[in-house]
């Protein structure tokens, strides 16, 4: 969906298209199948993405030649249902299948408990920054494929503390703000999400899904961002 402004408010024109990746895109995906020496990953593209065992860092921050033991341990690394963050390494010439990899353990890998929101990929602005540690104590990863992850601050492979009820509410609030912005076709980036979050604080989390509240948050956030760029 694409946003436009009218005198009466924000209007939406629907755009329906599957994600078509480009090399270097940061993507969030969900493991759908563990196969021999590779994982299949749902990234919202026409075909599941492919993550080769040889393209991941193993626990201990090791990128090395994999052996039979690694293959037997694949479900210990990533199993069906796990959310991961990776980078597009290759786009198939014939079928458009995406091959993804994890070039570094510092950003890529398995994501901890959090919230996944799917939005049209056209709403994600391609940028060098897709990982955002927000001042409200939550992290947002804006996948170029339209998969947005919201969760606690974390360091890959490091244990995280139990998520408090306060942080759970913050994550839920951010998720509802992102849904509101996306519903009205507002392009997503860190500052507009934070603006929407601040506007949302006058409402309870569950109120944020009311159509009139979603429209208010989307319109106010969009207008604020336009003033900021003038």
């Amino acid at each position: 969906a694409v946003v436009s402004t009218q005198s009466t408010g924000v209007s939406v024109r629907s755009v329906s298209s599957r994600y078509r990746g480009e090399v270097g895109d940061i993507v969030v995906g969900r493991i759908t199948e563990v196969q021999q020496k590779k994982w299949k990953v749902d990234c919202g593209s026409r075909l599941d993405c492919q993550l080769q065992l040889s393209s991941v860092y193993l626990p201990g921050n090791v990128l090395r030649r994999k052996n039979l033991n690694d293959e037997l341990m694949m479900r210990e690394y990533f199993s069906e249902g796990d959310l991961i963050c990776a980078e597009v390494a290759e786009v198939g010439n014939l079928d458009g299948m995406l091959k993804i990899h994890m070039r570094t353990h510092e950003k890529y890998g398995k994501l901890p408990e959090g919230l996944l929101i799917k939005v049209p990929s056209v709403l994600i602005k391609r940028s060098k920054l897709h990982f955002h540690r927000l001042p409200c104590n939550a992290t947002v990863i804006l996948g170029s494929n339209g998969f947005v992850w919201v969760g606690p601050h974390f360091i890959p492979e490091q244990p995280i503390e139990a998520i408090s009820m306060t942080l759970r509410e913050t994550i839920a609030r951010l998720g509802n703000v992102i849904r509101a912005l996306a519903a009205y076709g507002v392009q997503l980036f860190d500052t507009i999400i934070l603006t929407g979050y601040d506007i949302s604080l006058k409402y309870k989390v569950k109120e944020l899904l009311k159509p009139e509240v979603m429209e208010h948050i989307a319109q106010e956030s969009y207008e604020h961002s336009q003033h900021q760029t003038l």
Side-chain angles (χ1 to χ4, degrees):
V2 175
V3 72
S4 63
T5 54
Q6 299 175 343
S7 59
T8 53
V10 176
S11 67
V12 180
R13 177 168 55 87
S14 179
V15 173
S16 179
S17 62
R18 282 194 170 273
Y19 167 64
R20 295 179 181 180
E22 297 181 9
V23 173
D25 279 357
I26 307 300
V27 296
V28 173
R30 189 182 295 278
I31 302 290
T32 58
E33 191 177 339
V34 182
Q35 298 181 332
Q36 186 176 15
K37 296 184 180 180
K38 64 185 178 184
W39 293 268
K40 290 180 72 175
V41 186
D42 174 18
C43 292
S45 49
R46 187 174 65 84
L47 301 171
D48 277 354
C49 299
Q50 192 178 100
L51 175 64
Q52 298 279 356
L53 175 61
S54 59
S55 300
V56 304
Y57 271 81
L58 298 180
N61 304 336
V62 178
L63 182 61
R64 56 168 169 76
R65 186 180 294 277
K66 309 305 189 293
N67 55 37
L68 178 60
N69 188 54
D70 293 323
E71 195 172 334
L72 295 172
M73 292 282 289
M74 281 181 65
R75 272 197 173 80
E76 296 293 319
Y77 307 143
F78 308 123
S79 62
E80 290 88 347
D82 285 348
L83 287 174
I84 64 166
C85 184
E87 181 180 313
V88 175
E90 186 180 325
V91 180
N93 289 328
L94 297 178
D95 57 11
M97 176 185 280
L98 304 178
K99 291 186 177 180
I100 58 178
H101 65 171
M102 297 174 178
R103 291 188 302 114
T104 168
H105 64 274
E106 294 172 356
K107 294 194 294 184
Y108 307 124
K110 181 177 175 180
L111 296 173
E113 179 186 358
L115 187 62
L116 178 67
I117 303 128
K118 298 179 183 180
V119 307
S121 58
V122 293
L123 297 183
I124 306 295
K125 187 176 181 180
R126 277 191 165 86
S127 163
K128 292 183 179 179
L129 295 175
H130 286 262
F131 302 80
H132 302 285
R133 288 173 64 93
L134 303 181
C136 55
N137 292 323
T139 290
V140 172
I141 302 176
L142 298 172
S144 296
N145 56 328
F147 284 26
V148 179
W149 181 86
V150 185
H153 293 329
F154 71 99
I155 300 172
E157 295 190 25
Q158 298 295 319
I160 64 169
E161 297 178 3
I163 302 177
S164 67
M165 287 304 298
T166 301
L167 182 52
R168 286 183 188 279
E169 183 172 307
T170 296
I171 291 170
R173 180 177 293 278
L174 280 168
N176 287 347
V177 166
I178 290 167
R179 290 186 182 98
L181 295 172
Y184 284 88
V186 178
Q187 195 167 49
L188 299 174
F189 46 93
D190 58 332
T191 52
I192 203 165
I193 292 171
L194 274 174
T195 297
Y197 178 84
D198 290 341
I199 294 167
S200 80
L201 292 174
K202 66 179 77 170
Y203 302 104
K204 294 179 180 177
V205 172
K206 62 183 180 181
E207 293 176 329
L208 300 179
L209 294 178
K210 292 180 178 179
E212 65 274 16
V213 176
M214 293 177 75
E215 182 178 3
H216 171 68
I217 289 171
Q219 175 134 13
E220 289 287 315
S221 302
Y222 180 76
E223 289 179 355
H224 184 271
S225 71
Q226 293 299 101
H227 289 315
Q228 292 292 96
T229 57
L230 291 178

